Amino acid sequence: MIVAIPVWNRRVSPVFDVAKKVLVAEIDFESGGLVAPGVHVLNPARPASTLTDLGVDLLVCSAISSVLEAKLWAQGVEVVSDICGSLDEIMAALAAGDADLTRSRSPGSRCKPKSSVAKRIARGEGGPGRSV
């Protein structure tokens, strides 16, 4: 499963819509680690297309506009929002199978994960059309 997290000062960027960079990594469920993590520049005119071009299955972010979130879902990218914290903590939690990221939810967040990604990560499965 390929995961993207918008980056700002080694933390989850406050708003995906205006993020300039995104960390992209593949989760290796067998080793519990990350494969080839790298930071990519987002095209401000096409952030959703940038993620799909990179093969991203899951976007983990803090805030995102409803329009951009709907566009990502329509393009097959699942979105888990209201997440805050350091990139290291978030990526470690995902690699360990904690896909709902309960400990990393923004303070006061009432959101529950909207996707089936938590179940798939807990089972050690990859994203759509991808093997682990």
Side-chain angles (χ1 to χ4, degrees):
M1 173 177 289
I2 298 177
V3 177
I5 302 174
V7 180
W8 182 73
N9 286 341
R10 295 290 304 158
R11 298 186 64 79
V12 177
S13 180
V15 181
F16 175 71
D17 301 55
V18 295
K20 305 223 183 304
K21 298 177 185 176
V22 64
L23 174 74
V24 176
E26 183 172 356
I27 299 174
D28 180 352
F29 294 103
E30 289 182 18
S31 70
L34 305 173
V35 178
V39 176
H40 300 270
V41 175
L42 285 169
N43 180 338
R46 308 176 37 231
S49 296
T50 302
L51 294 185
T52 55
D53 291 347
L54 292 168
V56 170
D57 300 304
L58 171 67
L59 171 67
V60 175
C61 61
S62 183
I64 185 170
S65 68
S66 58
V67 172
L68 188 50
E69 182 177 10
K71 190 171 196 174
L72 285 165
W73 279 96
Q75 293 181 2
V77 178
E78 295 185 57
V79 178
V80 175
S81 59
D82 286 331
I83 302 299
C84 64
S86 76
L87 293 177
D88 295 335
E89 292 170 354
I90 303 300
M91 295 306 274
L94 288 169
D98 180 15
D100 67 356
L101 299 167
T102 304
R103 293 184 182 154
S104 301
R105 290 269 166 207
S106 298
S109 173
R110 294 184 201 154
C111 294
K112 295 181 180 176
K114 299 177 187 175
S115 71
S116 61
V117 73
K119 293 177 185 174
R120 288 201 333 259
I121 288 179
R123 291 190 308 254
E125 298 175 358
R130 292 183 169 75
S131 60
V132 178

